């Protein structure tokens, strides 16, 4: 079998299984483990897989839930970089919450092998992380939106109100001077509950969302701890966030952010 054909087949196998053992792949494709390792290096370089001891995890688009497959846009490279930098804000053994946005999914791709407890209402994120032995995964139930594959509604909100996480990562459809917005009113209600659950609330969004209006308001501009975005954000928005006391992390500049909502409360006491 030619190298390209083998790698295409290998990609499909890992995508369908979520995880595959190195020896199993070598036997199935009738090649040496060193050949499989070289193939996996290529898949890892493209962002579709991540190697671990004895095997490989799928980290590309979900195989059975192609929610983002037809939504690739000109900002996807920025979203990927934002996800990589946002992952640096997560410490090993953190309990975190991820919503169902495409940028949040990019963040999840960089967490596959990390020792974490992850709460999510996103079927694609849950599918991505479910094969990782190092992740304690908690799926929030509720009514599932077919277009976005996220669980929302009263059941989801009831569960979220009982939780506490170190960091809640949210995606948004628009940001104006009035705050952060999304286009689905029921989703926004769930995101409000996520904000309540998080010691730190971090918005992950590409710069095209700044100045964009959307249907329903999640919260005010200063009601989150940090925004992770790409370097396309303009100076006016940088100043607005600074004035509101919001930490700004640019995808081109690895950084960290540790200020919590409890810290803010102490400052105002």
């Amino acid at each position: 079998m030619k190298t390209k054909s083998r790698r295409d087949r290998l990609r499909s196998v890992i995508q369908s299984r979520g995880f595959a053992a190195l020896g199993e792949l070598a036997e199935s494709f009738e090649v040496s483990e060193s050949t499989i390792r070289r193939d996996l290096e290529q898949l890892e370089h493209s962002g579709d897989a991540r190697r671990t001891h004895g095997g490989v995890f799928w980290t590309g688009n979900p195989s059975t839930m192609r929610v983002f497959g037809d939504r690739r846009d000109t900002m996807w490279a920025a979203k990927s970089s934002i996800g990589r930098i946002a992952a640096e804000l997560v410490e090993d053994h953190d309990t975190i919450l991820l919503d169902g946005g495409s940028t949040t999914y990019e963040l999840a791709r960089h967490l596959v092998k990390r020792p974490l407890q992850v709460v999510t209402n996103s079927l694609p994120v849950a599918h991505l992380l479910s094969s990782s032995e190092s992740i304690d995964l908690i799926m929030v139930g509720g009514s599932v939106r077919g277009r976005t594959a996220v669980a929302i509604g009263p059941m989801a909100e009831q569960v979220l109100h009982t939780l506490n996480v170190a960091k809640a990562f949210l995606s948004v459809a628009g940001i104006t001077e009035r705050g952060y917005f999304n286009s689905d009113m029921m989703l926004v209600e769930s995101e409000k509950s996520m904000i309540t659950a998080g010691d730190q609330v971090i918005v992950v969004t590409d710069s095209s969302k700044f100045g964009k209006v959307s249907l329903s308001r999640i919260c005010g501009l200063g009601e989150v701890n940090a925004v992770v975005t790409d370097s396309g954000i303009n100076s006016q928005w940088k100043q607005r966030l600074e004035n509101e006391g919001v930490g700004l992390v640019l995808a081109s500049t690895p950084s960290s952010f540790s200020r919590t909502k409890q810290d803010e409360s102490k400052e105002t006491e």
Side-chain angles (χ1 to χ4, degrees):
M1 184 185 299
K2 292 183 178 180
T3 300
K4 185 180 185 306
S5 298
R6 185 182 64 251
R7 288 177 177 173
D8 287 343
R9 280 188 56 195
L10 181 65
R11 183 181 186 277
S12 298
V13 167
I14 300 169
Q15 183 180 28
S16 64
R17 296 182 187 178
F19 174 83
L22 182 64
E24 181 184 3
L25 291 172
E27 182 178 352
S28 176
F29 284 85
E30 299 181 340
V31 295
S32 67
E33 290 192 4
S34 60
T35 296
I36 290 294
R37 286 193 186 94
R38 287 193 294 272
D39 292 342
L40 295 180
E41 285 179 5
Q42 292 298 316
L43 286 177
E44 191 169 37
H45 180 72
S46 66
D48 287 330
R50 182 164 296 182
R51 290 174 294 170
T52 186
H53 180 70
V56 60
F57 287 101
W58 175 254
T59 57
N61 284 340
S63 59
T64 58
M65 291 172 282
R66 301 192 64 80
V67 177
F68 306 127
D70 59 351
R71 293 165 61 189
R72 295 269 177 175
D73 55 35
T74 57
M75 298 303 295
W76 205 273
K79 292 177 182 181
S80 180
S81 296
I82 292 164
R84 175 176 54 81
I85 296 301
E88 297 183 8
L89 308 184
V90 178
E91 298 179 14
D92 286 352
H93 308 292
D94 265 350
T95 297
I96 66 170
L97 192 156
L98 305 176
D99 77 356
S102 55
T103 308
T104 316
Y105 183 83
E106 290 298 310
L107 163 59
R109 289 177 60 184
H110 294 278
L111 300 177
V112 169
K113 294 193 295 182
R114 301 277 299 277
L116 300 167
Q117 187 173 53
V118 179
V119 181
T120 187
N121 67 335
S122 165
L123 295 184
V125 169
H127 181 270
L128 172 67
L129 300 179
S130 60
S131 298
S132 176
E133 294 182 0
S134 65
I135 290 180
D136 178 14
L137 179 65
I138 299 167
M139 180 71 197
V140 175
S143 300
V144 177
R145 277 280 196 265
R147 188 176 68 85
T148 56
V150 295
I152 55 178
M155 185 184 298
E157 292 162 32
Q158 183 178 4
V159 172
L160 289 166
H161 279 304
T162 69
L163 302 179
N164 182 75
V165 299
K167 301 176 181 75
F169 291 90
L170 306 181
S171 55
V172 298
I175 304 172
T176 74
E177 293 85 349
R178 293 183 56 223
Y180 308 92
F181 293 79
N182 254 322
S183 57
D184 187 316
M185 295 177 68
M186 289 184 66
L187 173 61
V188 165
E189 291 305 310
S190 293
E191 288 183 315
K192 289 178 179 178
S193 300
M194 292 176 180
I195 289 174
T196 303
D199 292 342
Q200 298 180 36
V201 180
I202 302 169
V203 170
V204 290
T205 184
D206 65 80
S207 59
S208 71
K209 302 300 191 300
F210 287 91
K212 183 178 291 185
V213 178
S214 197
L215 178 65
S216 188
R217 183 174 179 266
I218 304 168
C219 67
L221 204 59
E223 293 181 61
V224 306
N225 298 95
V227 171
V228 185
T229 189
D230 59 88
S231 56
I233 182 175
N234 64 39
S235 57
Q236 289 85 356
W237 273 108
K238 289 180 181 179
Q239 188 63 54
R240 285 193 185 104
L241 292 174
E242 181 180 344
N243 292 344
E244 293 289 342
V246 178
L248 178 62
V249 182
L250 296 182
S252 58
T253 308
S255 184
S256 61
F257 188 82
S258 59
R259 190 184 183 201
T260 66
K261 288 190 288 188
Q262 287 93 330
D263 293 334
E264 291 177 337
S265 297
K266 291 175 183 178
E267 290 174 4
T268 58
E269 289 176 355

